[in-house]
Amino acid sequence: MGRTLKFNIFRFNPEDTAAVPRMDTFYLEETDAMTLYIALNRIREEQDPALMFDFMCRAGICGSCAMMINGKPDLACHTKTKKLPSEITLMPMPVFKLIGDLSVDTGTWFRGMNEKVQSWVHTRKTFEPHAPEERMDNALADEIYELERCIECGCCVAACGKANMLPEGFMGATAFNRVARFMMDPRDERTNDQYFEVVGNEDGIFGCLGLLGCEDMCPKKIPLQDQLGVLRRKMGFSQVKHLFKAVMPGK
Amino acid sequence: MDTFYTDLLCVGAGLAGERVAVAAASAGFETICLSIVPPRRSHSSAAQGGMQASLGNCCKGEGDCPDVHFADTVKGSDWGCDQEVARLFAETAPVAVREMAFWGIPWNRVVPGKGIYYKAGKEYEKIEKREMEGMITARDFGGTAKWRTCYTSDGTGHTLLFTMDNEVVHLGVTVHDRVEVLSLIHDGQTCMGVVARCLKTGKLRVYLAKATLIATGGYGRIYRETTNCVINNGDGTIVTLDTGIVPFGNPEAVQFHPTGIVPTNILVTEGCRGDGGTLKDVNGERFMHIYEPGKQELASRDVVSRWMTHHMRLGKGVPSPYGPHLWLDIRHLGAHHIKTKLREVEEICNEFLDVDPITQMIPVRPAHHYSMGGVRTNKDGAAYGLKGLYAAGEAACWDMHGFNRLGGNSLAETIVAGRIVGEKISEFLQGYEVDFKTSIIQAEVKKQQEKINNLVSGKNGKENVYEIKAAMGDELMDRVAVFRTGAELQKAVDNLQVIYDRAKRIGLSSKPVGANPELSMALRMPGMVRLALCTAYGALMRTESRGAHAREDYPERNDRDWLKRTLAYWKSEDDTLPTLEYEKPSKVWELPPGERGYGSSKIICTEDPEICTPKPETN
Ligand SMILES: Cc1cc2nc3c(=O)[nH]c(=O)nc-3n(C[C@H](O)[C@H](O)[C@H](O)COP(=O)(O)OP(=O)(O)OC[C@H]3O[C@@H](n4cnc5c(N)ncnc54)[C@H](O)[C@@H]3O)c2cc1C
Ligand code: SF4
Ligand code: SF4
Ligand code: FES
């Protein structure tokens, strides 16, 4: 029948001046179709009401609940306990600022990322309320949607060696994916040079170690590797052009 | 005490809150958005199926126009909506969809040529016109005469919210996430802002604003089984009801969605049925055609949920450890369709059910889904009773949905109302000054601080907040759900009053340092029970059946006595029941009450000449 699950959970409340980081242990009887969402809520409601963690949609679509589950970043809400051993260690994601226990501040980090990559359609046009929309090929719309599916959960960032070294600076695969999304979108009038300004630096694509720790971690299975490749190629060309300009001014 | 000043304060950074913020910021007003979660995680992101707008680009949408959309919306509402608002909405929706395209939504587009589609389990052919290639396309949804629901696969809410937040970032609008509003600051006439709690530090804050917008979304979490996310607790509705001045419109109008998955109540989109999915019973047989020969699986949600419940009562449900359920079958749509147009559905089934929807059926049954009721506003989005207070989105009872909202009309409402209300607030703010009265602000902060102190010290008692929440959820689920009767509703009201009394005696069992989650829930719990009481009591008093409000003891729609909108007030803190008042749902009767064309219902007609005779729209 059911297993008894042992949870080792990281505890630290930065607002509590007396607190020091520690691991707490909780036990739960496993139930049918149990997810970490169900388990953590039961622990909070039945054993420790102060336990901090984040859930929203509990359906794998809002990106709130990423944490380190036995060492790997993943969405807690879609993680079934039956796929885990009976001892489960939960830690908050690194890179992001800790709010308390398993809860981290992804909001500030992602707002910063969105500002850095200027995550919006750049256009000189103005919206004409009564004109028909501009046409777009459906296949292209599908391709854009594919990259648009990032839920800003932070798993790829938590798994990234470079982001762990430079938590404030390095943009991470989610940012590269975002840039690739706008590059693909004909409504965005930015040139490759303008994108280069955004990601063609050490905090961006040239700082990426290319070890692809990020790719396997994406719960939305976004093809991050492909996007890194696209950016590298395009930015590589841009870089050559920049160098060219530097060597031969006036060109 | 941290105090922030702004022109406009948007409480809520979902689609409605952010669309209003974008409008005000574009007009040059300083705007702050507050949200419990990072804005892109707001519940709008979970909407899958799509948003209605009568573009009429795809072949099955040909001939569509705002008139048809308006009529579908009014019929869907079972004539409970404000027709002026429904008209305004239908006219503006196409502009709103195109504007979102302009900002970057990758809407699915028309692909010319032959294609197949499914309806009621059968295959049909359609031919999309060459000249429409690349225009925004639409899918079929329940209760509509045309294919009108624009979509991006089944991640429409996600793309809309990300794109909207991109505009928020672009305009540099300030967003304070992890902030929870606890109460409104007002002097009985004018709203001046809010008292809030920071969910990073646990400290109280004051926000003072010339205009305050409530855009906190739905309050599905008062029910035990809901498709709503875990923060849809109704805070915005609670804080306005707590003023004693602003009414809660139509609390009894609660929508159940036919396809919540069993047991977790995660939604699978109406797009499944719109794209041709069918409902089946324990024998693997379809049944909707028996009850609704015309629209079948695609009657409005209230109607489909009722027939499903009825069919399960006949013993045709599939037994399971979680009670009986029915099947949703999308297998015949094929792997390609599911993998491109119903991706989230596939993921949800795989990850949460261990079901492969390409080869297996999905266990579903009706679950609480949408709150038609909310903060009652006029057509400009201004709340009744307090100057400078507005509401938009699911939190509002702007009232284009009446007693049943059509699928796809809610995302559309957030953007359309956001656009309109945002402009109205900008007009209001022009040259407006407000006197922030220090004594009132201090008194409100003190009141909130005292509430916290009492919870911490256990001064009022030691009741456990989670037990109270569960008791409330059970009560509503068991007695105020798809079918209702006077006797059960009376029991619900009685029991909820007991629960309310307990809710006033909650005490914390943990140390309230920082963003303590138990304290958050404890602070809102009495308010949630007040919402539950409004819902149950409103339903008890409404002795008719209209839209989602189905009284088995009063099965007819009674236009003679009940063509009314409920306005629930909580006049004094010591009250144990709301005070109900009523108003006519609409000033304009462009479409006089009649048959919906689905859902068998007897109608007791109104003799009011003002209502019976169609009238042109007034402006
Ligand atoms: C699973 C699901 C699928 C859906 N699919 C569709 C669909 O396909 N088509 C359709 O038209 N509609 C759909 N809907 C309905 C639609 O998504 C919602 O009605 C709509 O998105 C609500 O938007 P909103 O901006 O009003 O609120 P929300 O997006 O819910 O935003 C509420 C905001 O308020 C904030 N907030 C709440 N309380 C507080 C507080 N105390 N202090 C500060 N901030 C607070 C939250 O943090 C959040 O930012 C669906 C709903 C669900 C549940
Ligand atoms: S490939 Fe680049 S972005 Fe991905 S984990 Fe490695 S360094 Fe980080
Ligand atoms: S790319 Fe994937 S892992 Fe990274 S933030 Fe987006 S959804 Fe999460
Ligand atoms: S709670 Fe939304 S993704 Fe897990």
Side-chain angles (χ1 to χ4, degrees), chain B residues 11-17 34-37 39 42-51 141 179-181 215-218 227-229 231-232 235-236 267 269 301 369-370 392-395 405-412 414 524:
Chain B
V11 184
L15 278 172
L34 304 182
S35 173
I36 294 186
V37 293
S42 299
H43 201 43
S44 294
S45 69
Q48 302 164 357
M51 115 176 219
F141 252 42
V179 172
E180 174 172 87
V181 169
T216 49
T227 63
N228 285 194
C229 70
I231 65 160
N232 272 12
D235 293 353
L267 181 84
T269 173
R301 289 177 179 172
H369 180 60
Y370 186 81
E394 190 171 343
R405 143 174 104 83
L406 295 182
N409 256 358
S410 176
L411 284 181
T414 60
R524 62 165 69 91

Side-chain angles (χ1 to χ4, degrees), chain B residues 229-250:
Chain B
C229 70
V230 303
I231 65 160
N232 272 12
N233 294 315
D235 293 353
T237 321
I238 294 169
V239 298
T240 49
L241 186 67
D242 284 356
T243 62
I245 302 164
V246 183
F248 175 10
N250 280 345

Side-chain angles (χ1 to χ4, degrees), chain B residues 376-585:
Chain B
R376 177 66 186 133
T377 71
N378 67 12
K379 67 177 174 184
D380 298 341
Y384 283 19
L386 279 182
K387 195 170 170 195
L389 181 65
Y390 289 79
E394 190 171 343
C397 181
W398 189 37
D399 217 2
M400 52 169 280
H401 305 304
F403 276 76
N404 175 65
R405 143 174 104 83
L406 295 182
N409 256 358
S410 176
L411 284 181
E413 176 185 15
T414 60
I415 311 253
V416 170
R419 204 172 190 274
I420 293 170
V421 175
E423 278 170 21
K424 292 293 171 188
I425 291 178
S426 303
E427 284 170 23
F428 168 81
L429 284 173
Q430 211 68 53
Y432 176 71
E433 288 303 330
V434 58
D435 178 16
F436 297 123
K437 298 183 187 111
T438 325
S439 58
I440 291 179
I441 300 163
Q442 279 168 350
E444 193 51 48
V445 172
K446 191 161 160 250
K447 193 168 152 193
Q448 296 309 317
Q449 189 59 56
E450 261 167 26
K451 260 198 219 169
I452 295 176
N453 297 347
N454 292 344
L455 287 165
V456 174
S457 68
K459 182 177 167 216
N460 300 328
K462 269 293 180 194
E463 287 281 356
N464 176 299
V465 60
Y466 297 112
E467 283 171 19
I468 290 175
K469 183 153 184 272
M472 170 188 68
D474 286 349
E475 215 49 60
L476 289 180
M477 204 67 211
D478 297 343
R479 304 185 209 283
V480 199
V482 175
F483 287 109
R484 302 160 176 194
T485 65
E488 288 294 305
L489 289 170
Q490 184 63 56
K491 257 191 226 161
V493 170
D494 295 345
N495 294 345
L496 283 167
Q497 285 183 309
V498 176
I499 294 169
Y500 184 47
D501 187 52
R502 287 175 59 196
K504 289 180 176 168
R505 289 186 276 111
I506 293 172
L508 295 194
S509 58
S510 58
K511 200 167 128 192
V513 190
N516 179 295
E518 188 188 17
L519 178 58
S520 289
M521 197 47 87
L523 279 168
R524 62 165 69 91
M525 205 59 232
M528 286 180 80
V529 186
R530 284 195 284 276
L531 299 187
L533 269 164
C534 290
T535 304
Y537 191 58
L540 174 64
M541 299 318 278
R542 183 174 286 274
T543 48
E544 65 151 358
S545 292
R546 183 180 300 275
H549 173 69
R551 286 282 297 255
E552 290 180 284
D553 44 353
Y554 293 95
E556 53 292 308
R557 189 181 90 199
N558 185 343
D559 289 344
R560 188 189 59 210
D561 304 320
W562 282 104
L563 211 47
K564 288 176 183 169
R565 176 181 299 109
T566 306
L567 299 177
Y569 295 84
W570 206 278
K571 298 220 165 170
S572 145
E573 265 183 74
D574 303 325
D575 288 356
T576 59
L577 270 184
T579 306
L580 302 187
E581 292 175 11
Y582 294 93
E583 66 174 4
K584 270 194 192 169

Side-chain angles (χ1 to χ4, degrees), chain A residues 55-65 75 77:
Chain A
F55 288 101
M56 253 291 295
C57 69
R58 52 83 174 91
I61 31 195
C62 77
S64 294
C65 63
L75 301 177
C77 71

